[in-house]
Amino acid sequence: MTDPATAQLRVHSITHGSRANGPGVASILHLQGCSIRCPGCFNQQTWDHSRGNLRSVQNVLDELDSAPHDLIAISGGEPLEQAEPLLLLVERLYQLQLAKGVLLYTGTTADERQAIPQWPLIRGCVDLTVAGRYVRDQALTPVRGLLASSNQQYIFGGHGRIRESDLKGRPSVEVVVGSDGMTVMGFPSSNMLREMRTA
C-alpha cells in the first residue's frame, strides 16, 4: 500500500470556511492541473500542470484536519488527472472520518471516468461527485444547487451523508479574505467576475 507520507499531490490551494461549496462549512482543496480547460472556467489559474506545490498526501490530510468543517470538497484543476494519489487521499478521509462528507468536482464525462482504473474506488469513498464539463452555452443563472451548467450531474455515494436537499439555501458565490489575499469561490457569473476585476 502506498504511504501517505511519500505519495504526492500537486496542490493549488486549500481554503477553509467556505459555505458555497456544499452543505455546512467546507474546507476546499483545489488541485493543480487541468487538460480539459472548459471555455468560461473561472479557475484558469489551476490549469497549468507545472504550477502549484507538490505536497504529500499526509501533509494535505494534516492541513485539512487543522480547521473545523462539516465537509471537505476537492476541486481543481481536474482532480481525476491525479487519480492515484487522489484515491489514497479519499480512502484516508473516509477511514479517518475527518468530515461529515466528502465532495468531488470533476469535468470528466462518464466514458472518461470509466477509463480511469481508480475511479470505482474513488467513487466508493466520496459522498457526492459533481460531474461534467462546464458548458458556457448551458450555464445556469442562477446556479442550481452545485450545478453550474445544465449538462452537469450529481453522482451520490451510498453513504447517505449528503442528500440533494442538503444543497439548497447556500450562497452561490463567496469571497474569502486571508493572509495570502482574496479568493472567490462558488459559481460567479461572467458579469460578476468582470465587475469584481474592475472594482
Side-chain angles (χ1 to χ4, degrees), residues 189-199:
S189 67
S190 304
N191 289 338
M192 181 181 293
L193 284 174
R194 278 195 296 271
E195 289 172 5
M196 292 180 74
R197 288 185 185 114
T198 301

PDB file of all heavy atoms in Angstrom, residues 189-199:
ATOM      1  N   SER A 189     -21.010  34.521 -11.987  1.00  0.00           N
ATOM      2  CA  SER A 189     -21.291  34.683 -13.417  1.00  0.00           C
ATOM      3  C   SER A 189     -20.158  35.454 -14.076  1.00  0.00           C
ATOM      4  O   SER A 189     -19.336  36.092 -13.405  1.00  0.00           O
ATOM      5  CB  SER A 189     -22.604  35.442 -13.609  1.00  0.00           C
ATOM      6  OG  SER A 189     -22.462  36.777 -13.141  1.00  0.00           O
ATOM      7  N   SER A 190     -20.110  35.427 -15.413  1.00  0.00           N
ATOM      8  CA  SER A 190     -19.096  36.179 -16.148  1.00  0.00           C
ATOM      9  C   SER A 190     -19.203  37.665 -15.845  1.00  0.00           C
ATOM     10  O   SER A 190     -18.194  38.352 -15.671  1.00  0.00           O
ATOM     11  CB  SER A 190     -19.256  35.951 -17.657  1.00  0.00           C
ATOM     12  OG  SER A 190     -19.193  34.584 -17.955  1.00  0.00           O
ATOM     13  N   ASN A 191     -20.440  38.183 -15.773  1.00  0.00           N
ATOM     14  CA  ASN A 191     -20.651  39.604 -15.476  1.00  0.00           C
ATOM     15  C   ASN A 191     -20.124  39.951 -14.101  1.00  0.00           C
ATOM     16  O   ASN A 191     -19.486  40.997 -13.890  1.00  0.00           O
ATOM     17  CB  ASN A 191     -22.127  39.972 -15.592  1.00  0.00           C
ATOM     18  CG  ASN A 191     -22.612  39.971 -17.026  1.00  0.00           C
ATOM     19  OD1 ASN A 191     -21.812  40.090 -17.960  1.00  0.00           O
ATOM     20  ND2 ASN A 191     -23.921  39.818 -17.207  1.00  0.00           N
ATOM     21  N   MET A 192     -20.384  39.089 -13.117  1.00  0.00           N
ATOM     22  CA  MET A 192     -19.913  39.345 -11.760  1.00  0.00           C
ATOM     23  C   MET A 192     -18.392  39.364 -11.707  1.00  0.00           C
ATOM     24  O   MET A 192     -17.799  40.235 -11.059  1.00  0.00           O
ATOM     25  CB  MET A 192     -20.451  38.290 -10.800  1.00  0.00           C
ATOM     26  CG  MET A 192     -20.032  38.495  -9.363  1.00  0.00           C
ATOM     27  SD  MET A 192     -20.665  37.224  -8.247  1.00  0.00           S
ATOM     28  CE  MET A 192     -22.417  37.555  -8.319  1.00  0.00           C
ATOM     29  N   LEU A 193     -17.753  38.426 -12.399  1.00  0.00           N
ATOM     30  CA  LEU A 193     -16.277  38.409 -12.422  1.00  0.00           C
ATOM     31  C   LEU A 193     -15.713  39.669 -13.051  1.00  0.00           C
ATOM     32  O   LEU A 193     -14.737  40.235 -12.561  1.00  0.00           O
ATOM     33  CB  LEU A 193     -15.787  37.172 -13.174  1.00  0.00           C
ATOM     34  CG  LEU A 193     -15.884  35.839 -12.425  1.00  0.00           C
ATOM     35  CD1 LEU A 193     -15.518  34.699 -13.339  1.00  0.00           C
ATOM     36  CD2 LEU A 193     -15.007  35.846 -11.190  1.00  0.00           C
ATOM     37  N   ARG A 194     -16.339  40.124 -14.145  1.00  0.00           N
ATOM     38  CA  ARG A 194     -15.874  41.364 -14.795  1.00  0.00           C
ATOM     39  C   ARG A 194     -15.999  42.544 -13.851  1.00  0.00           C
ATOM     40  O   ARG A 194     -15.099  43.373 -13.744  1.00  0.00           O
ATOM     41  CB  ARG A 194     -16.650  41.614 -16.093  1.00  0.00           C
ATOM     42  CG  ARG A 194     -16.121  40.843 -17.287  1.00  0.00           C
ATOM     43  CD  ARG A 194     -16.686  41.392 -18.584  1.00  0.00           C
ATOM     44  NE  ARG A 194     -18.131  41.234 -18.663  1.00  0.00           N
ATOM     45  CZ  ARG A 194     -18.716  40.147 -19.174  1.00  0.00           C
ATOM     46  NH1 ARG A 194     -17.999  39.134 -19.623  1.00  0.00           N
ATOM     47  NH2 ARG A 194     -20.043  40.066 -19.236  1.00  0.00           N
ATOM     48  N   GLU A 195     -17.127  42.625 -13.154  1.00  0.00           N
ATOM     49  CA  GLU A 195     -17.345  43.739 -12.222  1.00  0.00           C
ATOM     50  C   GLU A 195     -16.341  43.701 -11.077  1.00  0.00           C
ATOM     51  O   GLU A 195     -15.823  44.731 -10.641  1.00  0.00           O
ATOM     52  CB  GLU A 195     -18.785  43.681 -11.678  1.00  0.00           C
ATOM     53  CG  GLU A 195     -19.826  44.044 -12.721  1.00  0.00           C
ATOM     54  CD  GLU A 195     -21.236  43.786 -12.223  1.00  0.00           C
ATOM     55  OE1 GLU A 195     -21.405  43.414 -11.046  1.00  0.00           O
ATOM     56  OE2 GLU A 195     -22.170  43.962 -13.031  1.00  0.00           O
ATOM     57  N   MET A 196     -16.032  42.504 -10.585  1.00  0.00           N
ATOM     58  CA  MET A 196     -15.076  42.389  -9.480  1.00  0.00           C
ATOM     59  C   MET A 196     -13.674  42.783  -9.931  1.00  0.00           C
ATOM     60  O   MET A 196     -12.942  43.436  -9.193  1.00  0.00           O
ATOM     61  CB  MET A 196     -15.085  40.950  -8.933  1.00  0.00           C
ATOM     62  CG  MET A 196     -16.366  40.590  -8.235  1.00  0.00           C
ATOM     63  SD  MET A 196     -16.368  38.916  -7.610  1.00  0.00           S
ATOM     64  CE  MET A 196     -15.281  39.088  -6.208  1.00  0.00           C
ATOM     65  N   ARG A 197     -13.293  42.378 -11.154  1.00  0.00           N
ATOM     66  CA  ARG A 197     -11.969  42.746 -11.655  1.00  0.00           C
ATOM     67  C   ARG A 197     -11.882  44.255 -11.840  1.00  0.00           C
ATOM     68  O   ARG A 197     -10.844  44.860 -11.569  1.00  0.00           O
ATOM     69  CB  ARG A 197     -11.699  42.032 -12.988  1.00  0.00           C
ATOM     70  CG  ARG A 197     -11.454  40.538 -12.816  1.00  0.00           C
ATOM     71  CD  ARG A 197     -11.065  39.882 -14.102  1.00  0.00           C
ATOM     72  NE  ARG A 197     -10.951  38.438 -13.949  1.00  0.00           N
ATOM     73  CZ  ARG A 197     -11.741  37.556 -14.545  1.00  0.00           C
ATOM     74  NH1 ARG A 197     -12.695  37.954 -15.353  1.00  0.00           N
ATOM     75  NH2 ARG A 197     -11.573  36.266 -14.345  1.00  0.00           N
ATOM     76  N   THR A 198     -12.970  44.869 -12.305  1.00  0.00           N
ATOM     77  CA  THR A 198     -12.980  46.322 -12.497  1.00  0.00           C
ATOM     78  C   THR A 198     -12.853  47.045 -11.157  1.00  0.00           C
ATOM     79  O   THR A 198     -12.113  48.009 -11.023  1.00  0.00           O
ATOM     80  CB  THR A 198     -14.277  46.772 -13.198  1.00  0.00           C
ATOM     81  OG1 THR A 198     -14.362  46.101 -14.468  1.00  0.00           O
ATOM     82  CG2 THR A 198     -14.285  48.267 -13.421  1.00  0.00           C
ATOM     83  N   ALA A 199     -13.595  46.521 -10.140  1.00  0.00           N
ATOM     84  CA  ALA A 199     -13.567  47.133  -8.816  1.00  0.00           C
ATOM     85  C   ALA A 199     -12.182  46.982  -8.187  1.00  0.00           C
ATOM     86  O   ALA A 199     -11.727  47.838  -7.463  1.00  0.00           O
ATOM     87  CB  ALA A 199     -14.617  46.513  -7.926  1.00  0.00           C
TER      88      ALA A 199
END
